[in-house]
Amino acid sequence: MPISQFLTAPFKYHKLQTNPLPPTVAKFYKSPSTFTCISNPSLTLPLTHLNDDYCDCPDGSDEPGTAACAHLSPLSPPSPAQHQNPAARFNETLALPGFYCKNKGHIPLYIPFSNVNDGICDYEVCCDGSDEWAGVGGVKCEDRCAKIGKEWRKQDEERKKSLGAANKRRRELMEVAGRLRREVEDRIKTLGAQIQGQEVKVASLETELAGVERSERGRVVKGPGKGGKVAVLASLAKGRVGELAESLGRVRGEREAARERVRELEQILATFKEERNPNFNDEGVKRAVKAWEDYAARDKGPDSDPALDRDLDEILKSDAENGLNWEDFETTEESDVEVLYKFEEYLPKPVRDWVDQKLRDLRVTLIENGVLAAPHSDAGESKAVQDARQQLESAKKDLENDRKELTSHQEDLQKEYGPDNIFRALKDQCIDKDSGEYTYSFCWLGQTTQKSKKGGGHTNMGNFVRIEKVTVDEDVPPDGKGLGSGERYSLVYENGQHCWNGPNRSTRLILACAEKDEIWKIVEQEKCVYRMEVGTPAVCESAAASSKAPAAKDEL
Ligand code: MAN
């Protein structure tokens, strides 16, 4: 029996000691007398039943070196993940995940029991050829672990170097992502303060506008166009001002003449009183002298008021001397209101302010009490109201814009940006790849597109909607450009261009660690449903955390 070559009664125990058994289960085979099924301790067998090519234990543990319990094994060969993590193949049925190839000089791996002694050298898993220990059909498998192990270590070295560079790049991306997030947070703070200030400003401009509108309601002159009524008014005013100035000059001259005559008469009467003969007892003269004395004793105030005279001097100066150019008003391009402001400037300031204010207040009161009709609405707004309104509108607009920006930043902070926010650093960067008759591209958190090499526009293959995690189990090609096994980040793009007789186009990106961003593979899984395998440093450390490193290497 070939099996006896592997395990014969006289040195069963010794053979089991040296037989390649995983260190985790070797202890179960150390008993010198009997063997107890690992997962079924109620079943005890004589040692002759071990590796006797007959499956006694329900968990297959009595046949660690033959294919007798292979029917208990999973039909498929161990996956890369199961190679990397042998524990993954232990389940309730099997005590051992497979035949243990110690592979000295390389990495110990499990091979399905069904592959043991099947006449084929499975060097990919059992580089030491131990799976064909029985020499079935004369097959002898040499030990190639030294060569395969050396090649593997070389590649592993390169993989590690590449992983080191990828992790470095990832750390850089993390820094950028962190900085971008902090910028958003800072901007939110700044906007918060800015918005508070703007709210105060808007409130004050609203009050100001209301004040200006109220005040403007008291204005009288309002022409439909520039210079219309004001020009007429200016020309009337010019004539009237001229007449008044002339009259004032004349009255002032007459006043001076009258004063002179009064002085003359007073002088005559004073002389008359001094020089009369008191011995003439003339009653008429006595009464006249008494009346003069009474008149002279009365306080008649100052002869003239110098301040008033100076004002009159100013008023009586010519228009040119006053700097008043009527032509400016008669031909002005400015609005009536502006002109009136200027017109008022030519009145003495205290008078101008007082008159202006009183008149406005009076008009406003009359309008508010329904005594005076409000100015016609079709007359348009005054420049003062327009300016106040414009300032208010502009402040409101700034406030609105800042509020919108704040909301968008706040929403942005709630968005999912992947592990450590890493995709924030890549957002909107795009990667292309030619595949078949198309050039495909994806933009991080943006859009995926397809463009025919024969020309034409881009076809939208989906817009980014969310990040998910998916489990993959695939071989990694020698160049390392493959998804491998484990949990992977996936970016889902949906609602692309509608597909004739099909759905809206959609794309799923599945990401694996790589030194640089690169589309490895594109497949149209079903009509208008695409899948892209993408390498990127963005998921490296998380990838390392989710898929285990090759197991048991230190057991060599
Ligand atoms: C285009 C491409 C293909 C897609 C067909 C569906 O040719 O977008 O990927 O399968 O349209 O009609």
Side-chain angles (χ1 to χ4, degrees), residues 119-404:
I120 299 166
C121 302
D122 293 293
Y123 286 120
E124 276 184 16
V125 186
C126 262
C127 60
D128 59 4
S130 61
D131 56 317
E132 296 302 320
W133 56 267
V136 173
V139 170
K140 250 190 120 26
C141 303
E142 58 174 331
D143 184 346
R144 294 186 181 169
C145 284
K147 188 168 175 271
I148 293 175
K150 192 177 166 198
E151 185 55 33
W152 184 89
R153 279 191 292 280
K154 196 176 146 213
Q155 281 177 4
D156 194 44
E157 197 53 42
E158 278 165 19
R159 268 197 302 274
K160 278 186 184 142
K161 242 168 96 181
S162 170
L163 186 65
N167 279 333
K168 184 168 172 269
R169 172 76 185 128
R170 183 174 195 277
R171 281 192 293 278
E172 287 166 6
L173 289 173
M174 261 170 71
E175 269 172 39
V176 174
R179 181 173 46 76
L180 291 173
R181 191 184 159 94
R182 280 194 299 282
E183 278 175 14
V184 173
E185 288 165 345
D186 289 350
R187 184 74 186 133
I188 285 177
K189 275 192 209 139
T190 311
L191 282 169
Q194 211 162 292
I195 284 170
Q196 273 184 3
Q198 273 164 343
E199 283 167 347
V200 172
K201 187 176 171 189
V202 165
S204 115
L205 286 172
E206 274 169 349
T207 314
E208 201 175 308
L209 173 63
V212 175
E213 278 177 335
R214 185 175 186 277
S215 164
E216 288 301 307
R217 252 180 277 144
R219 286 193 167 277
V220 180
V221 178
K222 205 74 190 108
K226 288 183 176 176
K229 286 187 180 174
V230 168
V232 175
L233 180 66
S235 122
L236 289 173
K238 180 185 173 188
R240 180 59 60 86
V241 167
E243 282 167 23
L244 286 173
E246 200 183 308
S247 302
L248 184 62
R250 198 174 57 245
V251 170
R252 197 185 188 196
E254 286 170 2
R255 185 194 70 173
E256 285 310 315
R259 273 190 184 151
E260 195 45 47
R261 276 208 303 279
V262 169
R263 270 197 294 277
E264 219 175 296
L265 287 170
E266 283 176 346
Q267 193 54 53
I268 292 168
L269 285 171
T271 309
F272 168 75
K273 184 196 160 193
E274 289 303 318
E275 294 180 357
R276 78 183 168 103
N277 187 348
N279 298 325
F280 294 118
N281 205 7
D282 185 329
E283 282 305 314
V285 171
K286 275 176 24 194
R287 272 200 304 280
V289 168
K290 176 79 175 65
W292 161 246
E293 284 171 346
D294 288 347
Y295 166 85
R298 270 207 311 272
D299 179 11
K300 294 184 286 297
D303 194 21
S304 64
D305 179 349
L308 190 62
D309 281 345
R310 275 198 301 277
D311 279 352
L312 287 176
D313 287 342
E314 283 300 308
I315 291 168
L316 288 172
K317 275 184 185 167
S318 72
D319 289 346
E321 283 171 315
N322 271 323
L324 179 57
N325 185 1
W326 287 105
E327 277 177 16
D328 286 349
F329 294 93
E330 287 162 339
T331 59
T332 182
E333 285 297 309
E334 291 168 293
S335 81
D336 296 351
V337 175
E338 285 171 297
V339 173
L340 273 185
Y341 270 118
K342 288 193 177 173
F343 179 73
E344 285 171 1
E345 282 169 19
Y346 293 95
L347 296 172
K349 185 155 185 353
V351 179
R352 179 179 63 203
D353 292 347
W354 186 84
V355 168
D356 190 57
Q357 196 51 53
K358 290 290 164 208
L359 279 175
R360 282 179 192 218
D361 289 349
L362 176 63
R363 282 183 207 117
V364 169
T365 310
L366 292 175
I367 290 167
E368 285 176 352
N369 287 291
V371 177
L372 196 65
H376 294 303
S377 56
D378 62 355
E381 278 181 340
S382 73
K383 187 163 187 308
V385 174
Q386 277 174 14
D387 288 349
R389 189 183 300 287
Q390 203 176 14
Q391 279 186 34
L392 174 63
E393 291 310 320
S394 143
K396 274 185 174 170
K397 204 164 177 186
D398 289 348
L399 178 60
E400 175 81 353
N401 288 342
D402 280 358
R403 279 188 178 142
K404 272 192 197 147

Side-chain angles (χ1 to χ4, degrees), residues 366-468:
L366 292 175
I367 290 167
E368 285 176 352
N369 287 291
V371 177
L372 196 65
H376 294 303
S377 56
D378 62 355
E381 278 181 340
S382 73
K383 187 163 187 308
V385 174
Q386 277 174 14
D387 288 349
R389 189 183 300 287
Q390 203 176 14
Q391 279 186 34
L392 174 63
E393 291 310 320
S394 143
K396 274 185 174 170
K397 204 164 177 186
D398 289 348
L399 178 60
E400 175 81 353
N401 288 342
D402 280 358
R403 279 188 178 142
K404 272 192 197 147
E405 193 188 335
L406 178 68
T407 310
S408 125
H409 286 313
Q410 281 168 337
E411 283 170 2
D412 179 77
L413 286 189
Q414 301 304 316
K415 274 189 203 153
E416 175 68 78
Y417 277 105
D420 302 313
N421 271 302
I422 199 92
F423 298 131
R424 192 182 278 279
L426 293 168
K427 192 169 184 297
D428 297 329
Q429 289 181 27
C430 303
I431 311 292
D432 291 344
K433 183 179 174 65
D434 283 356
S435 176
E437 54 180 304
Y438 299 103
T439 300
Y440 290 88
S441 96
F442 80 89
C443 299
W444 290 106
L445 312 188
Q447 205 178 64
T448 49
T449 57
Q450 180 191 52
K451 188 176 176 355
S452 169
K453 287 180 189 164
K454 291 178 196 148
H458 288 88
T459 302
N460 179 351
M461 290 161 53
N463 306 301
F464 171 74
V465 280
R466 63 183 173 275
I467 301 170
E468 286 181 355

Side-chain angles (χ1 to χ4, degrees), residues 438 440 450 459 499-500 505 524 527-528 530:
Y438 299 103
Y440 290 88
Q450 180 191 52
T459 302
C499 182
W500 187 75
R505 286 174 173 78
E524 190 169 345
K527 197 173 177 186
C528 297
Y530 307 84

